[in-house]
Amino acid sequence: MITHSNQTADSRHLLEFVLRQGDNALVLGHRMSEWCGTGPALEEDIALANTALDLIGQTQMWLAYAAELEGRDRSANDLAFMRDATDFRNLLLLEQPNRDFGHTMMRQFLFDAYQVPFLQALESSADQRVADIAAKSGREARYHLERSSDIVIALGDGTEESHRRMQDALDRLWSYAGEMFVTDETDIAMHNAAIAPDLKLIHAQWNDTVQARLNKATLAVPDSTFVHKGGKNGVRHEEHLGHMLATMQVLQRSYPNSVW
Amino acid sequence: MADDQASVAQIREWLDAVPDPEIPVISIVDLGIVRDVQWRDDVLDVVITPTYSGCPAMSVIPEDIKTELGRHGINKINISTQIAPVWTTDWLSDKGRANLKGYGIAAPRTTGVPEGCPRCESVDVEKISQFGSTPCKAQWRCKSCLEPFDYFKCI
Ligand SMILES: [Zn+2]
């Protein structure tokens, strides 16, 4: 899937790429952690918190690498807690507020269905550190996809109300999903350096997974092709991210450099 | 290497006394997370690998290793974490699997389905949730004795 070439990766693009992976995991991980103690059932509460934990663990690996590449003597924690919203490189999809449980799981499903083939492709990355982190995270992503698929299918093909809520969630989130496949100069540089796959291939795999499972969930795939973008390149985050970071970063912002 | 240094085999035996912080009936050696033990002059290098990326036990384990080896007079210890090759439940020892069962946790199986209820051995079991009390476990229920039980997820 990844084609090799002799070109060396521009280090600026590699940092940008690694930061995007770390910020995706961090922002979604924090969103999932917001459910802690308020899940719809004890089992779900635990599952949401454990998914968050996996994502935060993945964040530590990506952001530790990003901090090394940056070489400005900052740690993974500094990157997580001391950067402003405009410095974040996560997908807009992932900063969307949780809303109800169905909406949270639909967001998770749309991302998991991307993350599984994407991380699988990264396992053969020309950058060994990227390959190692992807191999570690990929197993967790596969487990997450199994769970989010089951829930999307159960609730989509559930009661009249659960079906309506899942369809609403899908309609709302659909225009955010497209940003995962928007290819910019960083993606091209990473693909040329055999560090990351061609997103077109990932898009095709994502489409197959998503179409099949949404069919099973009796949900109608929206026909809109509009794409909200500006998250992964940091140009235009929505107000949601700022609110989320205000909560997430308050301790480090108020008491800089405090440690456990 | 000095003559009075403990052998690596001896050290592995000592490490086998360090329990997993969340499942105390299995040791960190049983769990397969001690990847390498080696003397570098008078410093002991210990390489460990995380189970799940976000497993909170990973911040406790290095301290436990230092405490245990300190009891045997080894104080210069350098512990590092290595993520590749990726840890899998295949690395769980047979002793570890047996101890899990005795503790009421069904051992991981590649089929993704526990062998049976750890209490009554019934194979009539069903999944309640893909996640249990820790990231490494799922929740199942026995339909014969009606008791819920933890299943150590297979990854
Ligand atoms: Zn039973």
Side-chain angles (χ1 to χ4, degrees):
Chain A
M1 176 166 304
I2 292 170
T3 50
H4 289 265
S5 82
N6 296 326
Q7 223 177 320
T8 22
D10 180 330
S11 57
R12 189 172 53 88
H13 285 306
L14 180 59
L15 169 59
E16 174 80 11
F17 175 79
V18 171
L19 211 46
R20 288 174 181 183
Q21 312 316 315
D23 286 348
N24 280 345
L26 174 60
V27 170
L28 184 59
H30 187 81
R31 280 290 185 222
M32 296 309 265
S33 79
E34 291 173 353
W35 275 101
C36 195
T38 62
L42 180 61
E43 289 79 10
E44 290 312 325
D45 196 284
I46 291 169
L48 289 159
N50 274 313
T51 305
L53 208 51
D54 284 342
L55 289 164
I56 298 303
Q58 295 169 16
T59 305
Q60 286 171 335
M61 296 188 283
W62 288 117
L63 291 189
Y65 188 27
E68 281 173 39
L69 291 168
E70 187 189 53
R72 286 174 49 196
D73 207 26
R74 297 204 284 184
S75 67
N77 276 342
D78 294 334
L79 292 179
F81 295 115
M82 306 302 273
R83 278 182 306 150
D84 294 324
T86 47
D87 299 329
F88 273 72
R89 294 293 183 265
N90 60 281
L91 297 160
L92 296 177
L93 172 71
L94 307 179
E95 68 194 48
Q96 296 305 305
N98 289 338
R99 299 175 193 265
D100 63 17
F101 178 66
H103 184 270
T104 295
M105 293 314 295
M106 181 60 80
R107 182 187 60 200
Q108 183 75 32
F109 168 68
L110 294 173
F111 181 65
D112 289 343
Y114 158 81
Q115 200 68 341
V116 167
F118 183 65
L119 290 173
Q120 198 165 13
L122 289 187
E123 281 188 45
S124 45
S125 174
D127 186 288
Q128 193 56 47
R129 184 86 169 261
V130 168
D132 289 350
I133 300 172
K136 184 77 195 159
S137 313
R139 284 164 184 259
E140 291 158 2
R142 286 197 283 280
Y143 203 77
H144 295 168
L145 176 61
E146 213 180 289
R147 175 170 176 275
S148 57
S149 300
D150 284 354
I151 290 175
V152 164
I153 292 167
L155 293 179
D157 189 18
T159 65
E160 205 175 303
E161 185 180 358
S162 72
H163 177 85
R164 177 182 57 77
R165 286 181 182 236
M166 293 313 277
Q167 187 65 56
D168 285 352
L170 179 60
D171 293 345
R172 217 194 139 265
L173 292 170
W174 190 254
S175 55
Y176 288 98
E179 193 188 9
M180 296 188 282
F181 311 107
V182 171
T183 300
D184 66 9
E185 55 168 352
T186 292
D187 296 306
I188 293 167
M190 290 298 97
H191 178 50
N192 286 342
I195 290 174
D198 182 348
L199 289 175
K200 280 201 285 297
L201 298 173
I202 305 301
H203 196 178
Q205 293 180 70
W206 180 84
N207 258 329
D208 289 348
T209 307
V210 166
Q211 300 274 354
R213 293 180 195 189
L214 289 180
N215 265 341
K216 232 174 145 186
T218 71
L219 295 170
V221 177
D223 46 23
S224 153
T225 52
F226 178 74
V227 176
H228 288 286
K229 48 193 166 193
K232 72 186 248 182
N233 61 13
V235 169
R236 195 188 64 87
H237 280 288
E238 296 189 355
E239 61 174 324
H240 309 301
L241 182 65
H243 291 301
M244 193 200 98
L245 294 182
T247 306
M248 190 185 92
Q249 299 178 330
V250 67
L251 190 86
Q252 277 299 323
R253 297 283 191 175
S254 313
Y255 305 96
N257 305 320
S258 55
V259 290
W260 284 108
Chain B
M1 175 174 138
D3 289 342
D4 58 346
Q5 271 180 348
S7 71
V8 165
Q10 173 66 69
I11 293 165
R12 282 188 171 273
E13 225 170 274
W14 288 334
L15 289 174
D16 198 25
V18 177
D20 175 83
E22 283 172 340
I23 311 171
V25 292
I26 52 173
S27 78
I28 58 171
V29 174
D30 286 330
L31 200 54
I33 64 173
V34 177
R35 186 152 286 172
D36 196 25
V37 178
Q38 240 177 67
W39 283 106
R40 190 166 34 91
D41 299 324
D42 64 340
V43 176
L44 186 70
D45 282 330
V46 179
V47 181
I48 57 174
T49 192
T51 52
Y52 286 81
S53 303
C55 183
M58 287 313 288
S59 56
V60 180
I61 289 170
E63 292 312 309
D64 291 350
I65 289 174
K66 285 181 185 164
T67 306
E68 180 62 26
L69 295 182
R71 290 180 46 224
H72 298 283
I74 303 174
N75 296 306
K76 286 190 184 171
I77 305 164
N78 171 46
I79 300 175
S80 56
T81 303
Q82 185 186 310
I83 59 167
V86 181
W87 176 84
T88 109
T89 36
D90 297 346
W91 297 0
L92 208 63
S93 72
D94 289 341
K95 166 165 83 76
R97 299 176 75 90
N99 287 354
L100 279 178
K101 191 178 167 194
Y103 193 57
I105 300 172
R109 291 211 312 161
T110 44
T111 55
V113 175
E115 195 179 19
C117 166
R119 289 185 184 78
C120 76
E121 316 257 323
S122 167
V123 292
D124 193 11
V125 294
E126 63 176 354
K127 183 165 72 185
I128 302 174
S129 172
Q130 259 178 314
F131 287 91
S133 53
T134 63
C136 58
K137 287 175 278 173
Q139 285 182 319
W140 283 65
R141 173 167 41 218
C142 172
K143 286 160 75 172
S144 299
C145 72
L146 304 180
E147 287 291 327
F149 64 90
D150 274 333
Y151 165 61
F152 202 107
K153 296 177 339 199
C154 182
I155 65 159

